[in-house]
Amino acid sequence: MSEHSDLDAIEARIAAAATLAGRKRDTVTLIAVSKTHPASAIEPLLAAGHRDFGENRVQEAQEKWPALREHYPDARLHLIGQLQSNKAGDAVGIADAIHAVDRSSLIGALAKAMDASGRRPDCFVQVNIGDEAQKGGCAIADLPALLTEARAADLPVAGLMCLPPADVDAAPYFALLAKLARDEGVEGLSMGMSADFETAVTLGATHIRVGSALFGTRG
């Protein structure tokens, strides 16, 4: 199927970018962003051996993934969209990683949900790296305090996440996120999408979020 060739092509590009940066391919997790795509589009990638997938909305994840996981119980689900605090319990119940932790109220809701359920998905703190009013993420100046709060709440802080401004060179923003992560002592970097994931890999991304390059676009 075409999904296999697309996956192979993306894998080759990740490997080439990693080699360029003196990294090993297995230091980068490819998250196939399956939001808005039906289970029938996801199954070929699962069958080909891919296991990390990204959804934007908790409700959509709940509709698709329980059935998919019956056949592929080792699939890992990443919630990459903005998360409302009142959905924290549902998010913790279904996700293996949450990539958009960006405010105190959400930290509190996630901590409460984790304590109640015993599940502890990885958490990435989202930084509003381009200081864009329309985007989620904490301000760069607020990051140290938010990380301190997340650690005090015993969230499993896996790293930082960002969405750079569109239609400009993403490299300076990726480099800035990598510097912030080093300064704050966190390892993970969730950055890079279909248009710029190779740049992200060369600048240290540990998780890249690729949708349209794998699934095509949906109107």
Side-chain angles (χ1 to χ4, degrees), residues 48-116:
H50 193 74
R51 288 297 177 266
D52 288 271
F53 293 84
E55 297 286 346
N56 257 32
R57 294 171 57 247
V58 173
Q59 184 178 344
E60 186 179 346
Q62 289 173 321
E63 289 165 0
K64 292 192 294 199
W65 281 95
L68 288 167
R69 277 176 160 161
E70 284 183 19
H71 300 286
Y72 300 96
D74 57 341
R76 292 179 293 273
L77 184 61
H78 300 253
L79 281 177
I80 59 175
Q82 292 305 114
L83 183 60
Q84 296 173 305
S85 295
N86 64 1
K87 296 282 187 184
D90 291 337
V92 167
I94 198 167
D96 298 289
I98 296 169
H99 288 245
V101 179
D102 62 356
R103 60 196 186 279
S104 294
S105 59
L106 183 55
I107 288 171
L110 288 170
K112 185 176 177 183
M114 288 183 194
D115 289 343

Side-chain angles (χ1 to χ4, degrees), residues 1 4 38-49 53 67-68 71-72 215:
M1 290 193 179
H4 291 203
S40 59
I42 298 168
E43 283 171 337
L45 289 180
L46 284 162
F53 293 84
L68 288 167
H71 300 286
Y72 300 96
F215 293 100

